[in-house]
Structures are given as C-alpha cells and as structure tokens.
Amino acid sequence: MSLLISSAVAAPAYGQASSNAPSPHEPVLPYTPSLDLASMDKTADPCVNFYQYSCGGWKKNNPIPPDQTSWSVYGKLYEDNLTFLRGILEQASIDNGQRDHVTREIGDFYAACMDEATVEKQGISPIQGHLDAVANLQSVKDIAPLIAGLQQAYGREVLFGAGSTQDPDNSSQVIAELDQGGLGLPDRDYYTKQDAKSKETRQRYLQHVQKIFELMREQPATAKKDADTVLRLETELAKASMTRVDRRDPYKMKHKMKVADLDSLAPNFNWKSYYAAAHYPQFETLNVTAPEFFKRLNNRLAAEPLENWKTYLRFHVVDSAAPYLSSPFVNENFAFYRQYLRGAKEQQPRWKRCVSYTDNQLGEALGQVYVAKVFSPELKQSTVDMVHRIEDAMAVRIRQLDWMSPETKQQALHKLQSIRNKIGYPDKWRDYSSITIARADFAGNMARASEFEHHRDYNKIGKPVDRGEWDMSPPTVNAYYNPQMNDINFPAGVLQPPLYDAKMDAAPNYGDTGGTIGHELTHGFDDEGSQYDADGNLRNWWTKEDRKKFDTRTKCVQDQYAGYVVVDDIHINSKLTLGEDVADLGGEILAYMAWQDATKGESLQPRDGLTPEQRFFVGFAQWACENDRVEELRLRAATDPHSPAEYRINGVVVNMPEFGQAFACKTGQPMTKPPEKVCKVW
Ligand SMILES: [Zn+2]
C-alpha cells in the first residue's frame, strides 16, 4: 500500500547546491522548489485539465531519459539520490585502513559491483554450483531441499514464494507463510490473456528464454524446445494463481493450517526436507495464501518428467542471476525486461545499477550515512508536526461524517489513535555484519545478502512481532501504510524537496507531503485496510449498515476510475486501484483541512498570480508530474495498484468542491461534478 512504486532511475541531475554546502568534494542533493511555476502550463485551463495546467511545463521540459522507462518528479528525486549516494559509496569504497564496519560493508559491496573486469572474467561461474545441483537432481522427490537453496540465493520465488507473516488473527505473533509464485513474466494474466498484444509478449518471452538457454551453450534447437517447456510449465502455475484483484481481499488470502495439513494439500513435495534445508525454526501453523496453486503444483510435480523440472530450474537460476553476471547475461536481461516490457532505450550506466543494488541489499547500512547527511533533527520535527496535524484533521473528519454511526466512529477513532508514525529512519539499525562481502565476488555478495534477508525474515517465526521494523530503506522515495502493523512509514528520501520543502510556505507543502501523509493514513480505512482493526488483526469493527454505506461510497470511486483510459483501449482496472484511489481522495481532503487549521488566523497573500488555495492545489498536482513510455503504461495497467499520474490528480479534484471554488470553475466543466455526483468516502 505504497504511495508510488518508483523504480525509476536516470541521468544525473546536477542542480544548485544548498547554501550550507560543506566541502566541494562532499556530495550534496540538488534543490528544486515544491511549487515550480516553470512546471506549469498557464495556457491550459485548470477547470478543463488541471493536471496539464500544473504539470504541462514539466512534461515538456523533462523528456524521458533514454535509460528510463518513465520520468517523474519522484523518479528524478530518486535519481538525485543515486548521484548523491554514488558520492558516498565512492568514498566508502576507498580502503584506507580506517573504515568502520558500516562503511566497509557498503564500500566493498559497491566496489565489487563496479569491478566489471572481474565480473566479465567470471562469466557464468558464480552460479555454476547451483546449476550443477540442478543437473545432479536424481528424482522429483529430491526437488524440495534444492528449491530452498535457490529461493534464498536468488531472491526469486522459484516454484512458489515462502517466508513469514504476521498472524492475521493475532498480529502480535509471526507465523510461516507460503505464497504462489514461480513465474518469469510480471503477472499471471500475461499467460492467460488471449488478445494480440499478450500473444506477442508470450512469443517475445519465448525468444528471451531461448536466448538464456543459448547463453548456457545449448544448441538453438534444444534451447527452443526448452523454452517451450518453461512457458508451458509456467502457464500451468499461472492458471492456478490468484489474480491481483483477488489478492486484495485479505479473507481470500487467509488459509491457516497445520504443517500436517500441508502434507495432505501437496504430498508430492517434501515439506519436511524443504524446511529443514531452509533452516526454518520449528513451527506448527502456517498461512497458505493460495491453496489451489499448491494443489496444481502438486499435480504437476507428479505429472511432469524430471527433465522438464530441471529445464525450468536451470532457466530460473540463470534468469534471476543474469543482472549480476557478465555482459551477455546483463544485456539479455535488459533487452527483455527493461527494453521490451517497459520501453527503456538504453541500459543504465553501471554505477546507477550498483548504487541501487547496494540500497536494495544493505539499505539500512547505506541509509545511516544518508540520514546523517540529509535528515536533520529539525527536518524530522517539522515533518512529525505535519503528521500530527493531518491525524488531528482525520479525527475531526471522522466525527463530522454524516453517514457513519457513533459505534463505528468510536472504533475508527480508536484505530486512528493506534496508528504508529515512523518518520525518516528506524530507531534501531539492521546489522549486516554476518554477511561475507568480498571485493572480488559481486554475484556472491548478492546471493549472500539475499540469503541473509531470507534468514532474517523467517527467523521471526514464533516470535513476537517487531513493530519498529521498516520495509523500505531510508533513501527510498516512497512511503507506505502496513495494515497488519497499523503504521505509516515515511523514509527520509520522500521528505526532501521538491516533495517536502522546508524553504517553502505551508500551502504547497500541505498540498504535496500533507496529502501523502493523509494518503497513507487513509489506507488504514480504504476498502482493504478497513478490514483490519487497531491492532492489525483481520477483524470486523464495523456495524453492518455502516459497512454497506461505506461500500456504496467506495463503489462511486471505483465507477469513476473505471471510465479512465490508461493506454490503447485499456481502461484502469479500478477494482485493483480502488484502495489507492480512495487514499488519494481521502488524503487530499485531510491535507486541505489540516492546512486551513495550520494557517488559521494568518493573512495569506497571493503569490506569483496564484491565490493561497490555488497554490495548495498546484503544489498537490506537482508531486505527480510524469512522462511514461507506452510499454511502461501497459505493464502498470496489468500490475500497478496505482492509477496513472494524471488521474491521481484530476480524479481527486473533481471530488473536491474546494478545488472548483479555488479556480472559479463553472458547473459542467470537466474538473467539476454536480454536487450529487461527487464521491465522498472519508
Ligand atoms: Zn498508497
């Protein structure tokens, strides 16, 4: 339930240094204001297309860099972070004999990744051990312990996904979990849909799989046959997989059982030896999100000859490690996953990938250095204050709701008061010192860091939940709400200009970051999050009538967004995006209330031809300025629970009468709705 999946990474953007810049060698983040007049398109009518009015200039001035699949305010900030972190990592990689253990970890990890000569020389050899293990498999019955090792080393859900989760019925405890998985394409729908584009994508995927086999020195004819086998097996798994929409229903994902039940659900897989090989702690209960998937997997394990499984596993070992191997593997990985599926024109320079990998694998080590440089105690305090104001606004809003009964309101307020605010960085840093990081073994470092993360994850099983834990690293330009933790998490990376701008006045800051805080809070009360109680348990706290009224209100949002087109003739799958759309609307309403309260009694003046109210809304819209490649839009339409940027702005303002008043829009204009059609949830 994040604000925005920002995987964007691109060309260095060197901006002006902040005024208190330290030494010329010290990296600094560039500054962009949170409301930028140059990003607007004043020729557009805000009442006709507010997104174009606020972001038209940005879109024109910021073409997508060739190594990017989309380009946005969020993506650009992430890119600035990469440049900044690169400076930190280059310094950290110098072995001067005086580095502390955190500096040594991140420095050596980055140095190993940047040592292209060694990576090239090693070719496929870093994964040869696992390929041999696959080749030596004697029987399908022996597959279980092998799978455990592959899942941990490669971070991919080979055959299925496994790990730990909070018990949906007792959120203070951690239990084991099994999930569907096993696919090479981004979603199960890629295997099942019969339109021309989906068929083309499957053909292109076959070519990719064949190429991977050829890189393992198979003859083209054999490689082609093997590719057919991989696609056929994956299609079987895909057909038994739940859709993304179904996976938003927490009750459909809850199937708690005993380990013995698992043996009856899928007896052809040796679970005992799987868990022993994976070194799980002893446990009795687990959750299986998708039992039908495991039934089908069980059938296929019996029906397919051993050779076919070996083929499947060989592909997944190489395909998942490809980005960390020598250039033929890296290039093929790019050509399919980033160029064909997402539309990038060029590979990212190696340093960008290496900074990202360091952040992904050692995020809380790199994050310590990042936070020390960019997230002052004053910045933390001012953003914490804003969070409190948004929470106060939400309490007022809940009390004001005319459709909700006092009983449900009391429960909602209790849940709101129980939300834990996590701002900037964790109180306790993760310790990576048990990972062996070698300067001449990049792929090995990746595998060991991935194994560390798996161990860390399932070693929580049987223990009380750690509520201080974070799912995002501090430099991440994103935020999230976790319904089982009932917490909101704002990494330091998302609290930087132009998103949160300490130099700017309240209006654009509340419109932008205030709205984001409101968005995450509202996730606790969207169609999915509202099914969890204050403690994070899956437990109904609504009266029957209130829930019915709530469902009618969210349906209004669902119907509105279903009308929007993403690309080609693909409409928003608004059952998938409903939680995010509700959070966008609720968040901005809360931000507006909180802003009015925060500036009560002040005499706010127009600036640059914009009234304070107009500046609030333009500040809001400018978080979402974005250009996308059509391939990226197609992929997101299938996989992303967020609506496209334009609708995350225009779809919200049509439901806020305050917007129409701020811009003096007339009834009947596109950015207005007749009062009886306005969607009101929170
Ligand atoms: Zn969200």
Side-chain angles (χ1 to χ4, degrees):
M1 296 200 172
S2 59
L3 171 75
L4 185 119
I5 305 300
S6 172
S7 53
V9 174
Y14 296 103
Q16 66 192 86
S18 70
S19 53
N20 55 351
S23 87
H25 302 292
E26 188 90 344
V28 286
L29 276 175
Y31 171 74
T32 318
S34 69
L35 194 165
D36 192 0
L37 296 176
S39 294
M40 298 175 66
D41 171 7
K42 291 280 194 75
T43 68
D45 183 343
C47 300
V48 173
N49 185 341
F50 183 57
Y51 183 71
Q52 176 63 26
Y53 172 80
S54 303
C55 286
W58 192 98
K59 284 170 70 82
K60 201 163 137 242
N61 298 332
N62 291 278
I64 307 173
D67 67 345
Q68 300 294 309
T69 63
S70 68
W71 195 227
S72 62
V73 168
Y74 267 60
K76 204 160 181 260
L77 179 53
Y78 181 66
E79 187 77 15
D80 292 344
N81 267 343
L82 289 184
T83 307
F84 178 73
L85 295 170
R86 178 195 196 183
I88 291 173
L89 287 169
E90 282 178 350
Q91 287 178 2
S93 67
I94 300 166
D95 186 2
N96 57 9
Q98 294 176 345
R99 296 178 299 169
D100 59 45
H101 79 97
V102 166
T103 309
R104 188 183 46 73
E105 282 158 17
I106 59 175
D108 286 353
F109 190 94
Y110 180 74
C113 180
M114 288 302 289
D115 182 1
E116 221 171 339
T118 302
V119 169
E120 290 301 328
K121 208 167 64 198
Q122 288 169 337
I124 200 172
S125 66
I127 58 170
Q128 195 57 52
H130 278 134
L131 288 173
D132 292 345
V134 172
N136 293 334
L137 201 59
Q138 295 301 312
S139 140
V140 178
K141 287 193 166 43
D142 299 333
I143 209 169
L146 178 62
I147 295 293
L150 299 184
Q151 287 173 340
Q152 293 186 20
Y154 298 105
R156 181 179 279 195
E157 295 170 341
V158 181
L159 273 196
F160 57 86
S164 72
T165 189
Q166 277 170 268
D167 185 339
D169 302 314
N170 177 7
S171 69
S172 64
Q173 289 297 313
V174 182
I175 59 172
E177 184 164 71
L178 287 174
D179 195 9
Q180 66 190 36
L183 310 180
L185 284 166
D187 187 80
R188 47 101 56 209
D189 288 357
Y190 279 77
Y191 297 86
T192 55
K193 284 172 76 173
Q194 292 304 319
D195 59 284
K197 188 74 197 167
S198 299
K199 286 180 179 167
E200 177 209 294
T201 303
R202 286 196 288 274
Q203 282 309 308
R204 182 63 188 78
Y205 181 56
L206 274 174
Q207 289 169 18
H208 164 67
V209 180
Q210 179 179 340
K211 185 71 194 290
I212 291 288
F213 282 118
E214 288 175 18
L215 290 174
M216 286 182 252
R217 302 189 186 287
E218 283 189 11
Q219 292 303 314
T222 317
K224 189 171 184 306
K225 196 169 88 7
D226 285 348
D228 288 336
T229 301
V230 169
L231 180 62
R232 190 173 54 73
L233 282 181
E234 289 184 7
T235 304
E236 292 287 341
L237 299 180
K239 281 185 193 157
S241 298
M242 293 170 73
T243 65
R244 282 179 198 259
V245 169
D246 278 344
R247 290 171 66 81
R248 293 196 64 245
D249 180 341
Y251 287 96
K252 287 187 182 163
M253 295 282 280
K254 183 182 123 170
H255 309 278
K256 275 163 64 178
M257 55 182 78
K258 300 279 175 209
V259 179
D261 303 328
L262 185 58
D263 289 329
S264 8
L265 180 71
N268 295 329
F269 191 84
N270 189 336
W271 295 104
K272 202 169 166 216
S273 82
Y274 170 81
Y275 282 116
H279 302 293
Y280 269 58
Q282 280 290 326
F283 65 90
E284 277 172 23
T285 307
L286 80 163
N287 186 49
V288 178
T289 58
E292 285 310 310
F293 175 87
F294 286 92
K295 275 187 205 163
R296 177 81 69 116
L297 174 60
N298 186 65
N299 291 343
R300 296 324 302 168
L301 284 170
E304 296 283 343
L306 176 65
E307 281 313 306
N308 290 355
W309 287 115
K310 286 186 178 183
T311 301
Y312 168 88
L313 293 176
R314 206 159 64 233
F315 166 71
H316 278 282
V317 166
V318 179
D319 196 51
S320 49
Y324 324 122
L325 300 176
S326 55
S327 47
F329 297 93
V330 171
N331 294 343
E332 177 54 29
N333 180 269
F334 167 78
F336 181 69
Y337 287 108
R338 219 171 142 80
Q339 189 170 35
Y340 174 75
L341 281 184
R342 303 180 62 192
K345 305 291 178 209
E346 283 175 13
Q347 174 67 284
Q348 294 171 292
R350 189 164 185 95
W351 71 262
K352 282 190 203 175
R353 287 175 275 145
C354 289
V355 176
S356 291
Y357 297 146
T358 315
D359 182 34
N360 291 342
Q361 304 290 59
L362 306 173
E364 291 195 13
L366 182 56
Q368 292 180 41
V369 189
Y370 175 81
V371 162
K373 289 182 190 290
V374 307
F375 202 64
S376 65
E378 296 76 36
L379 180 56
K380 173 150 180 166
Q381 193 50 51
S382 71
T383 47
V384 166
D385 288 347
M386 186 183 258
V387 170
H388 290 149
R389 286 189 180 276
I390 305 286
E391 285 174 337
D392 291 347
M394 184 146 206
V396 171
R397 184 83 184 166
I398 289 170
R399 290 196 186 96
Q400 282 173 351
L401 292 176
D402 55 8
W403 56 272
M404 189 183 274
S405 71
E407 296 102 286
T408 307
K409 278 186 184 179
Q410 202 186 358
Q411 297 286 329
L413 287 165
H414 173 56
K415 180 166 183 181
L416 173 65
Q417 281 148 11
S418 306
I419 291 177
R420 182 183 291 252
N421 302 324
K422 285 149 73 181
I423 307 298
Y425 54 91
D427 292 337
K428 199 171 127 246
W429 295 103
R430 199 162 290 165
D431 176 8
Y432 301 102
S433 56
S434 63
I435 309 175
T436 303
I437 296 167
R439 276 184 88 110
D441 186 14
F442 169 51
N445 292 341
M446 287 296 298
R448 286 185 290 274
S450 167
E451 283 158 0
F452 168 86
E453 176 52 26
H454 275 89
H455 293 201
R456 195 189 67 77
D457 176 56
Y458 60 65
N459 277 326
K460 296 187 281 187
I461 294 168
K463 296 190 183 131
V465 73
D466 172 8
R467 296 200 181 255
E469 195 177 61
W470 285 63
D471 299 339
M472 284 179 183
S473 73
T476 305
V477 185
N478 209 339
Y480 70 95
Y481 169 78
N482 180 334
Q484 289 188 283
M485 291 281 208
N486 196 25
D487 64 8
I488 55 171
N489 300 257
F490 282 79
V494 82
L495 298 170
Q496 304 294 325
L499 302 174
Y500 184 81
D501 184 353
K503 293 182 186 171
M504 197 59 93
D505 59 304
N509 274 323
Y510 271 88
D512 188 322
T513 294
T516 308
I517 296 165
H519 172 106
E520 302 306 344
L521 281 179
T522 306
H523 270 316
F525 305 88
D526 69 20
D527 62 315
E528 185 179 355
S530 62
Q531 301 183 64
Y532 295 86
D533 69 13
D535 297 321
N537 292 316
L538 198 49
R539 184 184 67 84
N540 178 44
W541 46 269
W542 296 68
T543 67
K544 218 169 158 187
E545 299 74 47
D546 286 336
R547 188 76 207 183
K548 228 169 114 188
K549 287 180 198 162
F550 177 73
D551 291 344
T552 311
R553 283 163 187 271
T554 56
K555 183 76 171 31
C556 174
V557 176
Q558 187 184 313
D559 292 344
Q560 177 191 325
Y561 282 77
Y564 297 138
V565 172
V566 183
V567 61
D568 308 331
D569 59 350
I570 306 171
H571 281 243
I572 291 179
N573 179 357
S574 64
K575 283 185 186 159
L576 178 62
T577 62
L578 181 56
E580 298 297 337
D581 299 332
V582 166
D584 282 341
L585 175 58
E588 217 45 39
I589 290 172
L590 297 179
Y592 194 84
M593 289 173 66
W595 169 59
Q596 295 221 306
D597 188 59
T599 55
K600 198 169 50 192
E602 288 179 34
S603 150
L604 302 176
Q605 299 301 318
R607 267 205 217 181
D608 308 314
L610 295 170
T611 67
E613 289 76 15
Q614 291 172 341
R615 297 179 78 250
F616 171 91
F617 283 108
V618 174
F620 159 51
Q622 286 193 345
W623 83 253
C625 300
E626 177 162 344
N627 285 311
D628 300 293
R629 301 207 192 274
V630 288
E631 293 88 347
E632 176 77 5
L633 287 173
R634 282 191 202 106
L635 182 132
R636 287 197 202 164
T639 59
D640 192 347
H642 303 87
S643 293
E646 176 180 353
Y647 305 119
R648 296 190 67 179
I649 303 306
N650 289 349
V652 167
V653 298
V654 295
N655 288 318
M656 286 183 72
E658 298 88 343
F659 169 81
Q661 283 153 22
F663 288 91
C665 299
K666 294 182 194 70
T667 314
Q669 288 191 288
M671 294 293 103
T672 62
K673 273 186 186 177
E676 71 278 9
K677 292 262 170 74
V678 166
C679 300
K680 282 188 214 158
V681 184
W682 289 100

